Amino acid sequence: MSTIVLAYSGGLDTSVLLKRLLLEGHDVIALTADLGESDGATGAAAVDAIAAISAKARALGAREAVALDVRQRFYDEYVMPAFAANVRYEGCYPLSAALSRPLIAALLVETARTFGADTVAHGCTGKGNDQVRIEFGVRSLDSQLRVRAPLRERPLSRPDAIAFAAEHHIPIAQSAAKPYSIDANLWGRSIEAGVLENPWTAPPEDAFGWTASPQDRPATAQEIVVDFHAGIPSVAGVSGPALLAQLNILGGAHGIGRIDLIEDRVIGLKSRELYEAPAATILLAAREALERLVLTRDELRFKAGVDRKYAELVYDGFWYSPLRSAFDAFNAVSNSRLSGEVRLRLLQGCATVVGVRSPFALYDEGLATYGAGDSFDHRAADGFIHLTGLPLDRLAHVAAVAVS
Ligand code: ARG
């Protein structure tokens, strides 16, 4: 018999797991984290939601049920460092689910220490990315802890889960019949499975929960200004998790942040996933515009490669890696000059940057202008072109000699 900390969502699968572990004779501590899944609900409502999940875990027989509001920690320690790297896996996915798993791993390890547990467990299946991320996370933080994935040991079909729940008096929410697998936190919502498994099938409107359908979006644009201070965004004085909640609602009303992606999973499969990430889409557009204004050409070129590798590391489960920490240190240098304002227009699914300014702008209107007041020395271009092109003259000469 072990003491096991189970990452418990309150859904059908993890409720069945909880019961199964109890039937095996273990002591179970149910751990539930609020990462802003009910993003947009007031803080109090969200806390109520996780309190209700913990009550369910206790009713099912868990020895302890731990409910943690980790929205601020998620924002500060996971979302913001990744934001500085403009995270978009395969150019598209802002890594909402992927960023939450290393935090869940940390919470599992911390809770195991609090309760003297020797094992942690999660409800991920053997096909997905999340098993990899949670287990790499736990092993990075405590290599002595045992990790169990009961759904991998013994896969559970939906009908079997429902039958098991009925037999063991586990309350089944209506959502047990839901047609998709959904994961959400304040950085975005992921939707997969069901009819989406056929990549030719257009996303049905019922898959979207945060973003308005085209016919329900306002016909007039709304303008917002994102303020950056050393890389940290705010809008009209609102920052942190509250800003993400607010932008998810506002951007969602304009249908911003829908992503339909065939992506490459860690375990080698391709899968099709939809995402809704209004806040992430708006903030990433704003950040990229400001970076283009204040970073040097060489920083931008080099950073694009670093950003891409950063997203791959996070997607692949290597959050706790020295390379990621090194990238954070690299990003801290550019972040120190990333202050300024970005003006965006939200309309019909698009967040369009329409203006940008910063005290650190490297853009110089006097040099760039084609109008009067031009301070650029046009004659200097002559020498630049002459010297920079020298190797081309030689190459052309060599090529001409070779053919003659
Ligand atoms: N494909 C995304 C990732 O690997 C999301 C995974 C969770 N998605 C879900 N719908 N349950 O990060």
Side-chain angles (χ1 to χ4, degrees):
M1 188 187 113
S2 316
T3 299
I4 302 182
V5 180
L6 170 68
Y8 181 67
S9 72
L12 177 60
D13 285 354
T14 52
S15 297
V16 168
L17 287 193
L18 199 167
K19 203 75 196 178
R20 268 203 202 163
L21 294 172
L22 290 170
L23 291 172
E24 286 177 19
H26 303 295
D27 233 4
V28 181
I29 316 289
L31 168 69
T32 305
D34 182 3
L35 290 143
E37 173 163 0
S38 48
D39 198 325
T42 64
V47 170
D48 277 347
I50 54 166
I53 294 171
S54 285
K56 183 172 173 183
R58 274 194 209 94
L60 289 176
R63 185 181 102 200
E64 271 303 334
V66 180
L68 303 171
D69 179 354
V70 292
R71 286 174 293 180
Q72 189 69 46
R73 182 171 172 191
F74 181 49
Y75 178 87
D76 290 336
E77 296 175 24
Y78 298 84
V79 176
M80 280 302 104
F83 178 56
N86 293 304
V87 276
R88 280 200 188 91
Y89 179 64
E90 297 189 332
C92 300
Y93 163 43
L95 294 176
S96 43
L99 284 167
S100 71
R101 271 42 182 189
L103 171 55
I104 291 169
L107 298 173
L108 283 168
V109 170
E110 290 161 16
T111 310
R113 287 185 182 150
T114 306
F115 290 93
D118 54 13
T119 307
V120 298
H122 60 77
C124 305
T125 67
K127 263 192 177 177
N129 296 319
D130 292 329
Q131 51 172 352
V132 179
R133 297 168 183 150
I134 291 180
E135 295 187 31
F136 282 4
V138 170
R139 281 165 64 187
S140 303
L141 298 170
D142 187 340
S143 60
Q144 298 305 306
L145 265 180
R146 195 172 160 224
V147 190
R148 282 191 57 184
L151 285 187
R152 217 163 53 204
E153 294 163 14
R154 201 152 42 107
L156 184 70
S157 71
R158 200 119 276 247
D160 286 351
I162 292 170
F164 183 95
E167 187 188 334
H168 294 276
H169 313 289
I170 299 172
I172 304 179
Q174 286 160 318
S175 58
K178 71 184 178 211
Y180 308 106
S181 160
I182 291 170
D183 182 87
N185 60 53
L186 42 80
W187 194 236
R189 181 173 183 265
S190 329
I191 312 110
E192 65 173 5
V195 296
L196 301 171
E197 284 169 1
N198 179 345
W200 183 247
T201 302
E205 281 302 316
D206 75 352
F208 298 108
W210 286 9
T211 53
S213 309
Q215 70 278 5
D216 299 328
R217 299 173 188 164
T220 47
Q222 180 159 356
E223 210 167 278
I224 61 167
V225 175
V226 181
D227 244 301
F228 282 87
H229 185 74
I232 302 299
S234 65
V235 174
V238 179
S239 60
L243 173 65
L244 299 186
Q246 205 176 78
L247 290 181
N248 279 328
I249 292 171
L250 178 65
H254 288 275
I256 290 164
R258 289 186 173 189
I259 298 157
D260 181 357
L261 179 66
I262 306 273
E263 69 191 38
D264 288 281
R265 281 195 191 169
V266 185
I267 44 114
L269 286 179
K270 282 191 187 291
S271 72
R272 196 252 193 120
E273 187 113 34
L274 299 182
Y275 298 100
E276 296 183 281
T281 302
I282 292 168
L283 293 177
L284 286 166
R287 185 186 173 96
E288 279 162 0
L290 189 58
E291 283 192 355
R292 280 192 278 270
L293 187 75
V294 306
L295 300 189
T296 63
R297 175 175 62 185
D298 281 340
E299 278 178 294
L300 286 169
R301 289 180 179 176
F302 193 77
K303 190 171 186 299
V306 170
D307 289 354
R308 184 193 155 121
K309 184 65 195 166
Y310 196 109
E312 289 168 359
L313 275 179
V314 177
Y315 189 89
D316 292 347
F318 293 100
W319 176 265
Y320 299 106
S321 68
L323 184 55
R324 204 212 89 240
S325 304
F327 287 166
D328 285 344
F330 170 77
N331 288 334
V333 174
S334 41
N335 248 359
S336 66
R337 278 170 294 137
L338 214 76
S339 298
E341 292 166 292
V342 183
R343 208 147 62 88
L344 297 105
R345 251 172 229 163
L346 313 182
L347 181 68
Q348 284 298 339
C350 296
T352 310
V353 173
V354 294
V356 58
R357 62 181 176 191
S358 163
F360 297 98
L362 297 181
Y363 178 90
D364 179 337
E365 210 170 331
L367 286 176
T369 184
Y370 285 98
D374 185 356
S375 58
F376 184 82
D377 178 1
H378 288 247
R379 282 163 314 169
D382 204 35
F384 170 80
I385 291 167
H386 179 69
L387 294 182
T388 313
L390 266 185
L392 304 177
D393 296 339
R394 184 67 195 159
L395 279 168
H397 173 75
V398 168
V401 169
V403 292
S404 62

